[in-house]
Amino acid sequence: MAAWQEFFDSMGDGSSVSQELIFGVGKAFLAEQLAAYLIKEGKASGSFEHDIKQAAKLNDAETGYRFWSVLQHFEQQSWRVRQGLQVKGLRFVNTIEELQQYSGSQVLPTSTLKLKRKQRLALAYALTWEHLRYLAGAEDEQSPSAELFTRFGVSLDEHEHEHAH
């Protein structure tokens, strides 16, 4: 099993998800997909921050400025985790949900606010990872977000899950 698969599997029902896990550990998996995208486009890969700026300059028709902006915000929150500072992940979650045209607060069935926040963060992260993977040309049958939606009690028939690629 690939490391990224183990990472998504470790999220379980969402109760084990934390901002430190997503913005700290999860950054490496996003950076890996982003680097693959740049290499596919004939660009050199560097730091995660550098790669975000380079990718934004490519003006991919299916990836707007807001996606790259929220990825820069993700990088800032990752830095905050490394510094032991308070993380502000709600902007990341809200923007990804808006770009994907769904509202996690309305779709997720749990009534526990803390768990719902963790699940929303996990889903926003999974959708971001999938979009970067798609840009890198590795679109395949892997859909961690679909698995997470199911684990979190959302029927994909109720929520027509379509990637905004």
Side-chain angles (χ1 to χ4, degrees):
M1 181 179 292
W4 63 264
Q5 289 172 311
E6 290 178 23
F7 179 71
F8 283 111
D9 285 349
S10 75
M11 293 181 188
D13 68 353
S15 59
S16 64
V17 173
S18 69
Q19 292 193 26
E20 292 75 20
L21 176 73
I22 297 295
F23 292 108
V25 178
K27 174 187 167 185
F29 296 109
L30 294 183
E32 180 181 48
Q33 296 304 322
L34 183 56
Y37 169 53
L38 288 176
I39 291 167
K40 180 187 119 200
E41 296 296 324
K43 304 291 181 191
S45 176
S47 69
F48 188 52
E49 185 176 5
H50 167 269
D51 288 358
I52 294 167
K53 291 175 183 173
Q54 290 301 308
K57 290 178 186 175
L58 294 174
N59 294 321
D60 177 74
E62 300 177 73
T63 309
Y65 166 79
R66 293 187 65 221
F67 179 81
W68 301 117
S69 176
V70 81
L71 211 52
Q72 286 177 322
H73 175 75
F74 183 97
E75 166 59 15
Q76 292 165 356
Q77 299 316 302
S78 178
W79 178 85
R80 294 180 70 84
V81 164
R82 292 190 307 273
Q83 301 304 312
L85 301 171
Q86 183 178 4
V87 177
K88 300 171 183 161
L90 195 56
R91 176 178 169 215
F92 170 72
V93 171
N94 287 339
T95 303
I96 294 300
E97 286 182 357
E98 195 175 302
L99 290 171
Q100 291 289 330
Q101 301 176 347
Y102 82 97
S103 172
S105 61
Q106 294 175 357
V107 174
L108 295 166
T110 185
S111 59
T112 309
L113 185 59
K114 187 175 181 180
L115 180 58
K116 189 173 283 198
R117 284 184 183 149
K118 290 178 175 192
Q119 289 176 342
R120 289 178 66 202
L121 179 59
L123 286 166
Y125 174 84
L127 290 163
T128 301
W129 181 86
E130 288 171 8
H131 186 70
L132 290 172
R133 187 169 172 86
Y134 167 79
L135 291 174
E139 185 164 20
D140 49 29
E141 298 302 311
Q142 305 300 330
S143 180
S145 66
E147 292 173 23
L148 289 175
F149 272 114
T150 301
R151 264 191 256 160
F152 298 165
V154 177
S155 166
L156 293 182
D157 295 334
E158 295 169 17
H159 170 70
E160 292 182 27
H161 178 68
E162 295 179 22
H163 297 289
H165 295 305

